[in-house]
Amino acid sequence: MLANFFGKSKPINFVVLFVLFLGYFVLSIFSKELSFNLVKELGWFLVVFSVYNFIIAKNLLTYDNSFAFLFFVILIGFFPDTIQINKTFYANLTILLFLRKVYSLQSSKNILHKLFDGGLWLGISLLIEPYAPLLLILLYLSIFLHQRFTYQTLLTPVIGFFAPVFLYFTYYFWYDKLEKFWLLFDWNFYPDLSFYSHEKYLFPILFIGSFLIASIMLKSPKALAVKNKFRKNWILILTHLVITTAILLLVQDGSGSEFLYVFFPVSVILANGIEFFQKKWYADAIIILFLIASFSVSVIV
């Protein structure tokens, strides 16, 4: 039943999934103070959902269904600390706008515009999250897979990337506060994993991780066996998962909201995994299990 409903992409699905998000949102309210900021949070997450859904639908990262969007919302339920508007949220939003350009490179229209815009959004992301430039790897991998390397395709993202960074540098240079600018490059490559071993994160990580590994193992042989656009996108998605996991682990002073960084690749991989099942009751059972587990976590934490 659930698999049949979400197995199609219709406007009503977006409404139902936003209602599901409202359920997680209401549960998260108990740990917050009632204020106008709650309305702002709903508005901003509606923007994120719109951008996310556009990327999935436009670039055919799954079949014509709503499974990826469903898992994206359920992941928020597993990690209610992501329901807040902070620097991580804004960084994730700019990264989503960057990803629009990365995955759209499978089309040969306006290549240089896409590359400049992708670099620009990633440059803005750097101003919020210093580890965001690691995603440049994903952009150049997309060029390699979908297009070809020329001096134009190599340099255009760099120009776009340094445009906001240069303006940021100019601002602090003018006010003689360059020490704040150099903080962007104060990177620490020795992650502290103890934060993610906390009991409220350990169960969701292990639960989702097991299904994630199963989805990769089920989908990869079939996806990589055929030379088509999806094969290239699957390589991008797996690389995307590795890079965002690295960002997640490298972020200092974790608050739990940084799990947002991995939601995109994880939800797409889980969606492709559930598509593998031909018998719908398997898919129904998995979806119900995810829903029960996510609401249980939301109530417990």
Side-chain angles (χ1 to χ4, degrees):
M1 180 179 176
L2 288 174
N4 284 330
F5 179 78
F6 292 111
K8 300 172 183 176
S9 182
K10 296 181 179 180
I12 186 63
N13 294 32
F14 188 95
V15 176
V16 170
L17 290 172
F18 188 69
V19 172
L20 175 62
F21 169 73
L22 286 177
Y24 296 128
F25 183 80
V26 169
L27 289 174
S28 73
I29 286 177
F30 294 107
S31 61
K32 301 178 181 178
E33 295 182 3
L34 293 177
S35 68
F36 180 74
N37 286 334
L38 297 178
V39 178
K40 184 175 74 172
E41 286 179 359
L42 283 175
W44 275 115
F45 269 94
L46 189 60
V47 173
V48 166
F49 293 154
S50 299
V51 176
Y52 173 87
N53 205 40
F54 177 86
I55 298 171
I56 298 298
K58 190 75 173 178
N59 300 293
L60 303 177
L61 301 182
T62 65
Y63 292 126
D64 187 21
N65 56 53
S66 301
F67 288 135
F69 192 12
L70 169 65
F71 282 115
F72 188 83
V73 175
I74 291 177
L75 289 172
I76 293 175
F78 272 108
F79 301 99
D81 289 334
T82 59
I83 308 178
Q84 54 181 310
I85 307 302
N86 54 15
K87 78 164 194 172
T88 301
F89 176 87
Y90 291 121
N92 189 70
L93 179 57
T94 57
I95 288 173
L96 279 177
L97 294 170
F98 160 77
L99 293 174
R100 275 190 62 188
K101 306 303 177 181
V102 169
Y103 287 102
S104 68
L105 287 176
Q106 59 187 287
S107 168
S108 296
K109 294 181 179 178
N110 302 318
I111 294 298
L112 295 182
H113 289 165
K114 293 175 183 177
L115 293 176
F116 180 84
D117 290 346
L120 181 70
W121 282 116
L122 198 59
I124 294 172
S125 299
L126 166 66
L127 307 184
I128 309 171
E129 175 50 64
Y131 295 106
L134 289 174
L135 286 163
L136 268 175
I137 298 170
L138 194 67
L139 179 59
Y140 282 105
L141 179 60
S142 184
I143 297 171
F144 173 75
L145 292 172
H146 291 301
Q147 303 300 326
R148 60 191 180 89
F149 285 135
T150 66
Y151 76 92
Q152 291 172 311
T153 56
L154 287 171
L155 292 179
T156 301
V158 176
I159 295 170
F161 178 80
F162 279 108
V165 177
F166 177 74
L167 292 175
Y168 191 75
F169 170 83
T170 303
Y171 174 82
Y172 282 114
F173 179 79
W174 180 262
Y175 288 101
D176 197 22
K177 295 181 180 179
L178 281 179
E179 65 278 1
K180 292 188 177 181
F181 173 79
W182 296 119
L183 286 175
L184 291 176
F185 306 98
D186 184 21
W187 298 334
N188 176 22
F189 291 104
Y190 298 94
D192 179 10
L193 303 182
S194 61
F195 176 79
Y196 302 105
S197 63
H198 191 281
E199 59 183 8
K200 78 172 183 177
Y201 297 127
L202 192 57
F203 169 72
I205 290 173
L206 294 176
F207 179 86
I208 297 166
S210 61
F211 280 95
L212 185 67
I213 293 171
S215 296
I216 293 173
M217 293 179 66
L218 287 171
K219 188 70 176 183
S220 292
K222 184 177 179 180
L224 299 177
V226 181
K227 292 185 178 181
N228 55 15
K229 285 186 178 180
F230 185 79
R231 177 177 181 268
K232 297 174 181 179
N233 282 333
W234 188 246
I235 294 172
L236 279 176
I237 292 164
L238 294 180
T239 306
H240 186 180
L241 175 64
V242 172
I243 295 172
T244 50
T245 301
I247 294 174
L248 169 66
L249 297 177
L250 289 172
V251 168
Q252 300 178 31
D253 302 321
S255 63
S257 61
E258 62 274 10
F259 281 102
L260 270 174
Y261 292 129
V262 299
F263 282 6
F264 186 102
V266 170
S267 61
V268 173
I269 292 170
L270 290 175
N272 278 280
I274 205 170
E275 288 171 356
F276 188 85
F277 294 103
Q278 297 297 321
K279 295 182 179 180
K280 296 298 182 182
W281 70 269
Y282 286 144
D284 282 333
I286 293 171
I287 293 171
I288 291 171
L289 187 60
F290 264 82
L291 287 170
I292 292 173
S294 63
F295 274 105
S296 298
V297 169
S298 297
V299 171
I300 292 172
V301 300

